[in-house]
Amino acid sequence: MKLKKQLLTLLLVVGMIFSLPLTTFAASGNTTVYVTRTGEKYHSNGCQYLRKSQIAISLQDAVNSGYNACSRCNPPILTTSAPAPVPQTPAPTLQPTTAEEAANSLEEDYKIMDAVQHMYLVQFNTLMQTNPAAIDPLLTQRASLVMQLEQMSVEEYAEYSSLTYFTQLGLQRAGCFIGEFNGLMDTPTIQSIATFQQTFGLPATGILDALTFNLLLYVSQLPAAG
């Protein structure tokens, strides 16, 4: 309970600065999204599912063509009255109206990331027992980072998790994120930071320094990329 309370308190402070949820945001039909040659989803720029093919299309055309929003990159949703598929789950509010709602939203996001982190450990441990040769370096890195988190103090864990979470959030908003929302400073996240830095004229070190993080805070409040 102590960890949960301290973590949510810290997240609320940073979250009020971002004023942006992890999930979808509203946009007009002219907003650019991306589809693939064979998929049935539309995506934000930088989504991992666009690695093999990336076709620019307006949000209006994507919706009219029957594409659904990707659940991984959480692209914008249409705000106009154009016909659109009924979402399978209720769309969250863009900005929680109370501190309690903000805390609940952040808690749900962290439950999702906890589940992803647990999945990394399960996959890693299973492969270690069955087929160690199949373990790729990224899974090894992610499992190692999760194990390091488990050894941190409450304060260290809260600081690391919140900064990484909101860094990934800002990178996605800027259209520079190629990884998974997992609360880990893994290789895809570091590469995304370097891309962001290069895009905005900073040295592309991949290091989350104060200037980079402050710029992420600023960019997160601008209209979404793409």
Side-chain angles (χ1 to χ4, degrees), residues 5 19 22 30 32 49 72 76 89 94 98 101 104 120-121 136 142-143 147 153 155 167 192 196 211 213 217 223 226:
K5 182 180 294 185
S19 299
L22 176 61
N30 293 328
T32 300
Y49 293 121
R72 175 69 67 182
T89 57
L94 180 59
T98 67
E101 290 174 351
N104 290 337
Y120 294 151
L121 286 181
D136 63 78
R142 286 170 167 170
M147 288 185 280
S153 65
E155 292 77 12
T167 294
S192 299
F196 174 84
L211 180 58
F213 187 70
L217 289 177

Side-chain angles (χ1 to χ4, degrees), residues 33-155:
V33 293
Y34 301 88
V35 298
T36 61
R37 287 190 295 269
T38 58
E40 299 178 352
K41 307 288 186 179
Y42 69 85
H43 311 265
S44 294
N45 187 29
C47 181
Q48 63 177 350
Y49 293 121
L50 298 175
R51 292 175 180 173
K52 294 184 178 180
S53 63
Q54 180 171 330
I55 303 170
I57 186 174
S58 72
L59 177 57
Q60 183 73 72
D61 288 342
V63 170
N64 290 345
S65 298
Y67 288 97
N68 295 314
C70 172
S71 60
R72 175 69 67 182
C73 64
N74 298 298
I77 58 175
L78 192 64
T79 57
T80 64
S81 58
V86 178
Q88 296 179 351
T89 57
T93 56
L94 180 59
Q95 295 184 1
T97 57
T98 67
E100 181 179 358
E101 290 174 351
N104 290 337
S105 176
L106 291 169
E107 184 177 358
E108 287 301 313
D109 289 344
Y110 262 70
K111 286 180 180 178
I112 294 173
M113 290 197 301
D114 283 343
V116 172
Q117 293 176 7
H118 178 69
M119 177 190 68
Y120 294 151
L121 286 181
V122 171
Q123 291 177 342
F124 180 81
N125 291 330
T126 300
L127 288 174
M128 280 293 293
Q129 297 175 8
T130 59
N131 187 12
I135 302 177
D136 63 78
L138 182 56
L139 177 59
T140 299
Q141 180 195 41
R142 286 170 167 170
S144 176
L145 288 171
V146 174
M147 288 185 280
Q148 290 178 36
L149 283 178
E150 294 178 346
Q151 301 301 316
M152 290 182 179
S153 65
V154 170
E155 292 77 12

Side-chain angles (χ1 to χ4, degrees), residues 4-26:
K4 180 179 178 181
K5 182 180 294 185
Q6 291 188 10
L7 183 57
L8 289 179
T9 299
L10 181 57
L11 287 175
L12 277 173
V13 172
V14 185
M16 295 306 178
I17 298 175
F18 268 75
S19 299
L20 174 71
L22 176 61
T23 49
T24 55
F25 55 91

